[in-house]
């Protein structure tokens, strides 16, 4: 029983570090003041990955029924997608 | 990554289903607000880009790290209570609660700056969305902290056990929602241009 | 009838139906005045008929809610009502105050009524739905407080259930928000802002708690489904009501002088308001499908299901039609608003009171359910009234759309009265549907007098 | 469906959600009250306007007309009647009622003095200058 405890805690710590890293990346992109389609899509992708990480591992949806995972993933996909569409419309 | 419980059968949602109905409703409200922000921006990009520059991006980023870390603490708290360790759980959750306080503190400083500069929801469309989204989220952080406090109290008195920790998971799920809503809000409002 | 004090509900239900009939008669008068402008003029000008119509609506629904609570609280709390005498006293005070007020509207010019009833002391008259003279408003507060006191004392000394808690919260909210009818500032924007705290936070807030509690009670009784399941979902549904309805007040704050951000807050949250009504429909049908017993009162089951469907159509769907700010910009203050008003008030509140009466009245008269022929007549009246009201809403929606086109969207907008002439065909059709509605209501009243072998208590 | 779905948690979510959104509504109300003076034309409220509003209420004008879109739908919107018709037309119209034309909608005669009518018109002028976010769509109201 003992080793799974360390392993899962370590796992969550790794997820936390990844999230922190992605946040710093987002922030640095922002600081660099870069704009345009590529940057926007990258930032959106990072955001959706971070959200999915939180949902899957922090919220534990990874182990739940397919229905709940579809709802959560669908939410990130739709919200992220619509935001991307709005920004692409704006670029034209 | 052989996650310890991946082999378990398909579980139900963590925590009480009642909170999940509330979580989905909040997600819907925030989702519509996010998309409305994006499409309103599409109509007046210069205004949005200009006003966006006046935001304090650093405090936003710090707040993101703060919330992610507090969310991590909550996960550790849940892992602890799964093994029946009430005290350890209450310590992790207290850590998460304090980080929530840090978030609230930073946010209030940010709001103070804006109100001092006489920026309100009626100033322009960007600030309307910025203040609406961040204030709506700010109140969710406060509510999340109230929920965490209730759980901490009960955990400190040994109220949970390895076989009964639904209350902890319920509060945790809400807190994680507050976290990932900010994870979306921060780049959308502060960064993407 | 488990508790003798439940009999107090009977006069309330009878008064409710009588006032309902009065409301419909004045509705028909107004419906005719829309097409024959000088009908009954100057004896009953349109504004007087309207005051009577809207005030009777609110009063008969309040009578229904009070009767429902005096019936179901003793049964929920498993104890006798705290003070049946107080309930009867309240009944007569409310009935007399209501009757005198309506007579005041009809017999005395409104300006003089205002002068004689202390409106100069505290100016609260002349606002839509809140036209009552000051003494009547004070009377309503007293009636509400004595009703609340009676019910809460009963709950306190008996079993506490989710239904009695939710009903009491709804009644408390009703009493508290009515107090805003005494606040009438000169500043028109503030006047309207807080006026909506009475009207909107009633019908899209606390009244939905009362509606939920009443429907849950009837569903438990007619379906026999486990109380735990029904009360759990009751809480979920009314949570969604408050989550969406409170900020949903914003859909009244688009064009009255309040800041523009309400157009976003109001649109987004009021767009979510149909969700609790949809959940209520799914919930009602689910409970009836999973019923554990065949209740002899089939009419009550029909009313309950009808309530959930028509509440979703009237309040949910028809509300959503014109709740988004860009749409409301054109639909605000047109016949489309009237269509929503009619279908929502009937679908949500009239029907839930009729559900309660249809369930409780046979028991109050000593039998589990009415005789077969009476129930069939009652079901006919349900379909007649519901379809008639649906057509009233359809015709007014048609009138509203043409009105919006001619008066607001077209590049050469026509004046208000010119447009009214163009849509008079819809008003004729609406009057016809109104007559069918009256027929349905008369059939409903008739069903109480049908004799025959009734279902004894099992 | 989650195995864990209890009534007590549903009640807690009801209390939490209800209180939360009411507090949020109060916050929005507070902000509205703060910014209102810049939009509600309250600086033009004179005793005449105040008396005009009293006349508007005690004669139950809302029983037939709408004001800023709210009221009865039997007679025209009066929130912008001042710019639509002008004070003289309104005065003549009020004094000339009812028209008595058979079959047409009738407005009662309220027997108001000239001073009263002027106050009522002052109220309608005040109402027409409230910043209603450019509503109604056109002068017809």
């Amino acid at each position: 029983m003992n080793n799974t405890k360390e392993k899962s805690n370590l796992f969550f710590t790794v997820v936390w570090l990844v999230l922190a890293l992605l946040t710093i990346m987002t922030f640095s992109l922002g600081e660099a003041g870069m704009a345009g389609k590529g940057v926007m899509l990258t930032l959106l992708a990072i955001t959706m990955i971070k959200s999915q990480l939180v949902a899957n591992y922090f919220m534990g949806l990874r182990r739940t029924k397919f229905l709940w995972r579809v709802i959560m993933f669908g939410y990130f996909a739709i919200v992220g997608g619509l935001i991307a569409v709005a920004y692409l419309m704006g670029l034209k | 990554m052989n996650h310890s419980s991946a082999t378990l059968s398909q579980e139900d949602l963590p925590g009480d289903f009642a909170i999940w109905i509330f979580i989905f409703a909040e997600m819907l409200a925030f989702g519509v607000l996010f998309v409305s922000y994006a499409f309103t921006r599409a109509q007046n990009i210069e205004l949005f880009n200009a006003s966006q520059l006046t935001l304090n991006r650093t405090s936003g980023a710090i707040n993101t790290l703060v919330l992610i870390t507090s969310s991590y603490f909550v996960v550790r708290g849940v892992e602890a209570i799964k093994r029946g360790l009430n005290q350890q759980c209450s310590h992790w959750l207290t850590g998460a609660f304090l980080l929530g306080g840090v978030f609230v503190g930073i946010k209030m400083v940010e709001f103070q700056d804006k109100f001092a500069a006489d920026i309100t929801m009626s100033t322009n469309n960007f600030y309307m969305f910025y203040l609406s989204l961040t204030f709506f989220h700010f109140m969710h952080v406060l509510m999340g902290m109230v929920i965490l406090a209730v759980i901490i109290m009960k955990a400190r008195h040994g109220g949970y056990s390895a076989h009964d920790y639904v209350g902890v998971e319920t509060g945790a799920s809400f807190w994680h929602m507050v976290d990932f809503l900010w994870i979306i809000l921060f780049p959308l409002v502060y960064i993407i241009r | 009838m488990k508790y003798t004090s439940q009999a107090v509900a009977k006069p309330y239900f009878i008064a409710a139906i009588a006032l309902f009939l009065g409301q419909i008669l004045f509705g028909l008068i107004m419906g005719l005045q829309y097409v024959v402008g000088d009908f009954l003029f100057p004896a009953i000008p349109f504004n007087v008929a309207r005051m009577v119509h809207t005030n009777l609506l609110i009063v008969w629904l309040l009578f229904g809610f009070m009767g429902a609570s005096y019936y179901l609280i003793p049964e929920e709390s498993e104890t006798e009502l705290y003070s049946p005498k107080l309930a009867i006293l309240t009944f007569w005070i409310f009935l007399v105050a209501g009757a005198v007020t309506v007579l005041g509207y009809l017999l005395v010019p409104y300006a003089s009524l205002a002068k004689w009833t202390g409106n100069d002391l505290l100016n609260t008259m002349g606002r839509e739905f809140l036209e009552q003279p000051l003494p009547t408003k004070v009377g309503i507060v007293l009636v509400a407080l004595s009703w609340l006191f009676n019910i809460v004392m009963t709950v306190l000394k008996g079993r506490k259930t989710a239904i009695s808690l939710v009903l009491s919260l709804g009644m408390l909210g009703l009493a508290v928000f009515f107090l805003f009818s005494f606040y009438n500032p000169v500043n028109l924007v503030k006047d309207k802002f807080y006026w909506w705290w009475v009207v909107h936070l009633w019908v899209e807030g606390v009244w939905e708690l009362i509606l939920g509690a009443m429907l849950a009670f009837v569903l438990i009784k007619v379906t026999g489904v486990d109380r735990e399941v029904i009360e759990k979902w009751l809480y979920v549904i009314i949570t969604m009501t408050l989550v969406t309805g409170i900020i949903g007040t914003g859909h009244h704050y688009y064009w009255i002088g309040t800041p523009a951000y309400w157009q976003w807050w109001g649109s987004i949250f009021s767009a979510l308001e149909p969700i609790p009504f949809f959940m209520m429909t799914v919930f009602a049908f689910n409970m009836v499908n999973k019923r554990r017993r065949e209740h002899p009162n089939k009419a009550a089951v029909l009313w309950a299901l009808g309530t959930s469907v028509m509440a979703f159509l009237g309040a949910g769907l028809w509300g959503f039609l014109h709740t988004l700010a860009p749409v409301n910009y054109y639909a605000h203050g047109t016949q489309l608003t009237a269509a929503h008003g009619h279908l929502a008030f009937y679908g949500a509140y009239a029907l839930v009171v009729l559900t309660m009466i249809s369930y409780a009245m046979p028991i109050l008269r000593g039998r589990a359910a009415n005789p077969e022929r009476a129930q069939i007549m009652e079901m006919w009246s349900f379909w007649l009234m519901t379809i008639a009201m649906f057509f009233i809403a359809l015709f007014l929606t048609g009138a509203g759309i043409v009105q919006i086109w001619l008066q607001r969207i077209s590049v050469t907008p026509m004046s208000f009265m010119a447009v009214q002439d163009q849509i008079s065909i819809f008003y004729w059709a609406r009057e016809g549907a109104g007559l069918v509605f009256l027929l349905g209501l008369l059939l409903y009243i008739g069903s109480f007098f049908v004799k025959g072998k009734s279902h004894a208590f099992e | 469906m989650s195995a864990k779905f209890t009534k007590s948690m549903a009640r807690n979510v009801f209390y939490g959600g209800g209180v939360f959104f009411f507090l949020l509504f109060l916050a929005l109300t507070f902000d509205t009250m703060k910014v209102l003076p810049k939009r509600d034309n309250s600086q033009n409220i004179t005793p005449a306007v105040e008396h005009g509003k009293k006349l508007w209420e005690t004669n139950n004008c809302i029983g037939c007309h709408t004001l800023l879109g709210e009221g009865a739908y039997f007679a025209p919107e009066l929130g912008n009647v001042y710019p639509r018709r002008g004070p003289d037309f309104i005065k003549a119209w009020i004094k000339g009622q009812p028209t008595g034309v058979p079959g047409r909608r009738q407005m009662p005669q309220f027997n108001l003095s000239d001073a009263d009518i002027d106050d009522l018109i002052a109220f309608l002028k005040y109402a027409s200058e409230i910043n209603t976010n450019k509503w109604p769509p056109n002068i017809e109201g």
Side-chain angles (χ1 to χ4, degrees), chain C residues 239-435:
Chain C
T239 304
M240 286 307 293
T241 298
L242 293 187
V243 162
T244 57
I246 293 176
I247 305 291
T249 316
H251 65 187
H252 301 294
Y253 295 160
Y254 297 157
W255 324 114
I256 61 164
T258 39
Y261 58 75
W262 281 107
Q263 290 178 11
W264 287 101
W265 283 98
S267 291
I268 288 172
F269 277 90
S270 61
L272 304 179
E273 274 187 73
I275 292 175
F277 283 109
F278 179 71
M279 290 167 79
M280 205 180 287
T281 309
V282 169
F283 170 68
F285 278 91
N286 228 331
M287 292 305 119
V288 170
N289 293 342
K290 283 195 268 187
R291 63 187 179 282
R292 296 221 196 101
R293 52 182 293 210
E294 279 303 324
H295 195 278
N297 194 341
K298 286 189 289 301
V301 176
L302 178 64
W303 287 106
L305 293 176
T307 303
S308 64
V309 171
M310 293 310 291
F312 173 66
L313 275 181
L317 199 60
W318 248 258
F320 182 73
L321 271 183
H322 62 135
T323 195
L324 299 179
V327 174
N328 195 262
Y329 183 66
Y330 293 101
H332 183 57
T334 64
Q335 290 298 323
L336 195 64
T337 314
H340 164 65
H342 280 90
L343 200 57
F345 254 117
Y346 172 77
Y349 296 116
L351 276 185
V352 78
V353 169
L354 294 176
T355 304
M356 195 70 206
I357 293 173
S358 163
Y359 168 76
M361 206 46 129
I363 298 172
L364 289 172
R365 299 165 85 186
R367 47 188 182 244
N370 285 335
E372 216 45 41
R373 275 180 53 243
Q375 284 196 43
I376 289 168
M377 201 169 172
E378 214 179 309
M379 294 191 196
W380 266 98
S381 80
F382 166 82
W383 288 109
L384 272 176
M385 283 200 283
T386 301
I387 291 170
M389 183 53 80
F390 188 73
F391 273 100
I392 288 177
L394 271 186
F395 294 139
L396 289 182
T397 302
I401 288 166
V402 174
Q403 177 181 24
I404 289 167
W405 177 260
L406 293 178
Q407 190 182 314
R408 291 193 174 158
I409 291 184
S410 84
V411 284
T412 55
M414 295 165 61
S415 77
F416 177 88
M417 279 321 294
V419 170
Q420 291 298 305
D421 295 336
Q422 293 296 315
I423 55 179
S424 59
I425 178 75
F426 289 106
Y427 292 139
W428 280 107
R430 178 264 297 271
E431 186 68 356
L435 290 171

Side-chain angles (χ1 to χ4, degrees), chain B residues 65-93:
Chain B
L65 291 174
V66 161
L67 266 193
I68 286 175
T69 313
S70 78
S71 219
Y72 168 71
F73 282 4
V74 164
V75 171
R76 292 301 299 270
V78 168
E79 288 308 305
I81 199 62
K82 277 183 182 171
R83 301 195 308 286
L85 304 170
N86 272 283
Q87 291 318 319
Q88 210 186 41
C89 169
S90 76
H91 293 145
W92 281 111
L93 295 188

Side-chain angles (χ1 to χ4, degrees), chain D residues 5 10 16 22 31-32 51-52 57 60 63 70 79 95 105-106 119:
Chain D
F5 180 20
F22 192 69
D31 180 78
T32 297
H51 185 230
E57 287 163 354
N60 193 274
E70 294 171 356
K95 291 166 90 147
R105 297 184 188 181
Q106 299 299 312
D119 290 351

Side-chain angles (χ1 to χ4, degrees), chain B residues 11-33:
Chain B
E11 278 177 25
D12 294 310
L13 287 168
D16 195 298
F17 187 65
I19 199 74
W20 279 93
I21 296 175
F22 191 70
I23 285 173
F24 291 139
E26 295 287 21
M27 281 165 58
L28 183 60
F30 269 98
V32 173
L33 273 167

Side-chain angles (χ1 to χ4, degrees), chain C residues 110-125:
Chain C
Y110 195 68
S112 338
L113 185 65
K115 210 182 277 72
W116 297 337
T117 57
N119 193 46
D120 300 332
L121 224 69
L122 180 63
N123 170 14
T124 66
M125 290 170 73

Side-chain angles (χ1 to χ4, degrees), chain C residues 37-38 110 120 123 184-185 187-188 191-192 196 231-232 254 257-258 261-262 329 332 407 415 420, chain D residues 5 7 15 31-32 39-40 53-54 57-58 67-68 70 103 105 126 131 133-135 138 140-141:
Chain C
D38 55 359
Y110 195 68
D120 300 332
N123 170 14
N184 180 17
N187 182 328
L188 185 61
D191 164 355
K192 284 172 174 290
W196 282 110
E231 287 188 335
K232 187 163 52 174
Y254 297 157
T258 39
Y261 58 75
W262 281 107
Y329 183 66
H332 183 57
Q407 190 182 314
S415 77
Q420 291 298 305
Chain D
F5 180 20
K7 185 173 73 174
Y15 284 142
D31 180 78
T32 297
R39 317 171 40 94
D40 61 7
K53 183 168 191 282
K54 185 97 188 275
E57 287 163 354
T58 49
L67 187 63
L68 304 188
E70 294 171 356
R105 297 184 188 181
Y126 149 73
N131 176 353
N133 298 326
K134 294 194 281 296
W135 190 90
N138 57 41
E140 292 308 329

Side-chain angles (χ1 to χ4, degrees), chain A residues 10-77:
Chain A
L10 177 65
F11 171 74
F12 290 125
T13 311
V14 166
V15 171
W16 169 60
L17 285 174
V18 167
L19 286 169
L21 201 66
L22 291 174
T23 307
I24 292 163
M25 270 173 60
T26 309
F27 174 60
S28 51
L29 277 176
E31 285 298 282
M34 295 155 64
K37 195 161 70 156
V39 174
M40 180 270 291
L41 289 174
T42 320
L43 284 168
L44 266 183
I46 293 174
T47 305
M48 291 314 142
I49 291 167
K50 280 165 66 179
S51 310
Q52 194 59 53
L53 277 175
V54 168
N56 271 358
Y57 302 109
F58 278 12
M59 289 178 108
L61 289 188
R62 193 83 186 80
R63 304 186 302 277
T64 57
K65 288 199 183 68
F66 182 70
L67 170 68
W68 308 124
R69 283 185 284 149
V70 163
I71 288 178
M72 204 54 101
F73 177 77
Y75 176 79
F76 297 135

Side-chain angles (χ1 to χ4, degrees), chain C residues 219-231:
Chain C
L219 284 176
I220 288 179
K221 296 298 170 185
V222 294
T223 66
V225 166
D226 178 19
R227 165 181 290 275
E228 200 67 13
V229 172
I230 288 187
E231 287 188 335

